[in-house]
Amino acid sequence: MTDIDENPRPALLELNDAHLARDGVAILRGMSLRIEQGQHTAILGPNGAGKSTLVRLIHRDDYPFAREPGERAPLRLFGRERWNVFELRKHMGIVSGDLQYRFVTDDLTDALDAVLAGFFSSQVIDVGMIVTRAQRMAAMKALERLGAAHLAHRRLPTLSTGEARRVLIARALAHDPGALLLDEPTTGLDFVAQRTLLETLRTLAHAGTTLVLVTHHLEEILPEIEHVIVLRGGRVFASGNKRDVLCAGILSEAYGAPIRVQERGGYYHAHIESRDG
Ligand code: ADP
Ligand code: MG
């Protein structure tokens, strides 16, 4: 028996009327959504919509609550309500700004160790952790894939934002998780690295890794991603097939600006309409 629910294909992520408040401020206000395993998904929404908060829920940095006690669990991952982050990591790699911040302030760990520590769901390689040759090779391969092999022996605080981002993505990928959750992964990457990352994600999607991509950029919604969720004000504003959701009406209302959408070769582009049309 595995540690994933016996149901053959439970949803990767399920939120049922999830609420969350921080410092007395309501941040998630009844968020309900469902992402199936294998269903590559993009999550969009204006600043403050709750996207990173959703990532924090999945990473178990925050815990949502149901409005009424006894209601359906507000959050399920792979069909289960309770996970610890160590178990979850085997199934899902996560890349986010919060995580990156934790790494870049660690003065003792080098890039290769940060990737290797991922095999132990740890931030550092500690005494007693036995790193196998296969793990070391997989870690180097992941760094190479991100064009970051030359950074292997650099300490994390000495890396630029984009370099640290590549290392963090390598860490998320090194053990081939079934799903990858990426919160604005191209932030800080130069345009060549951005393109390389997006191509890497496409390859992973074809190889069977489910992508959940939080992004501000419509052009990052890869052709493989069919499912789009738009958040606004701590709730789901729209969700469905990208052809239906990525339209001028929905995006203009979600962002509160007149947005035009164009589709070219499987990629979408958004433009704000100028006042004179
Ligand atoms: P985004 O969609 O831009 O990633 P976030 O999930 O980071 O948005 O934040 C959602 C909202 O929660 C934002 O409006 C943010 O200002 C607010 N927020 C986050 N933490 C706190 C806090 N400790 N107190 C009050 N508001 C907060
Ligand atoms: Mg965010």
Side-chain angles (χ1 to χ4, degrees):
M1 201 181 121
T2 69
D3 50 2
I4 290 186
D5 195 291
E6 291 136 54
N7 179 340
R9 244 358 214 186
L12 188 158
L13 170 66
E14 209 184 326
L15 257 66
N16 295 304
D17 194 27
H19 289 258
L20 182 89
R22 242 191 261 146
D23 300 330
V25 179
I27 295 176
L28 300 188
R29 299 183 303 146
M31 189 178 279
S32 299
L33 57 87
R34 187 180 166 97
I35 299 174
E36 305 295 341
Q37 294 185 56
Q39 187 179 37
H40 307 302
T41 300
I43 300 177
L44 298 174
N47 291 132
K51 305 180 298 298
S52 296
T53 303
L54 175 60
V55 174
R56 290 172 57 82
L57 296 189
I58 297 168
H59 197 252
R60 308 314 242 175
D61 291 324
D62 269 328
Y63 292 86
F65 58 87
R67 195 140 55 172
E68 303 290 337
E71 274 184 359
R72 280 198 296 169
L75 172 69
R76 283 177 185 272
L77 288 158
F78 300 100
R80 272 179 48 185
E81 250 181 90
R82 288 178 215 295
W83 282 95
N84 70 49
V85 91
F86 304 107
E87 279 179 286
L88 183 62
R89 235 200 87 77
K90 293 186 220 149
H91 304 289
M92 187 189 280
I94 298 181
V95 175
S96 72
D98 285 354
L99 275 179
Q100 181 154 342
Y101 179 76
R102 281 178 221 167
F103 277 93
V104 295
T105 47
D106 177 348
D107 196 29
L108 295 175
T109 304
D110 71 18
L112 179 59
D113 279 354
V115 176
L116 284 170
F119 287 107
F120 304 91
S121 301
S122 163
Q123 191 164 323
V124 294
I125 292 289
D126 250 330
V127 200
M129 291 178 182
I130 298 168
V131 177
T132 65
R133 215 174 107 82
Q135 285 170 334
R136 193 167 285 276
M137 279 168 60
M140 275 312 293
K141 203 170 132 223
L143 284 168
E144 274 162 27
R145 204 168 190 181
L146 271 297
H150 63 294
L151 304 172
H153 299 296
R154 289 266 301 278
R155 282 178 306 108
L156 298 172
T158 71
L159 302 177
S160 78
T161 308
E163 288 169 342
R165 173 94 345 175
R166 295 184 197 206
V167 172
L168 200 63
I169 296 167
R171 172 185 156 98
L173 288 179
H175 64 298
D176 270 328
L180 261 184
L181 171 65
L182 305 133
D183 188 2
E184 299 180 35
T186 58
T187 305
L189 296 183
D190 65 55
F191 64 94
V192 174
Q194 267 179 30
R195 173 49 65 92
T196 309
L197 172 62
L198 294 174
E199 288 306 318
T200 304
L201 294 180
R202 294 191 71 181
T203 309
L204 289 166
H206 284 283
T209 307
T210 309
L211 301 179
V212 180
L213 177 65
V214 176
T215 182
H216 279 299
H217 308 288
L218 252 56
E219 56 278 14
E220 292 184 354
I221 301 178
L222 303 167
E224 288 73 15
I225 295 176
E226 289 284 345
H227 183 219
V228 174
I229 299 173
V230 181
L231 304 182
R232 193 175 84 159
R235 293 197 182 99
V236 172
F237 181 76
S239 81
N241 191 282
K242 80 177 156 190
R243 265 169 293 279
D244 301 323
V245 175
L246 298 182
C247 66
I250 289 178
L251 294 183
S252 300
E253 203 183 331
Y255 286 84
I259 294 172
R260 253 183 319 130
V261 183
Q262 279 182 318
E263 191 264 335
R264 247 179 282 132
Y267 285 89
Y268 286 73
H269 304 267
H271 308 273
I272 299 181
E273 277 190 53
S274 63
R275 230 173 293 189
D276 37 62

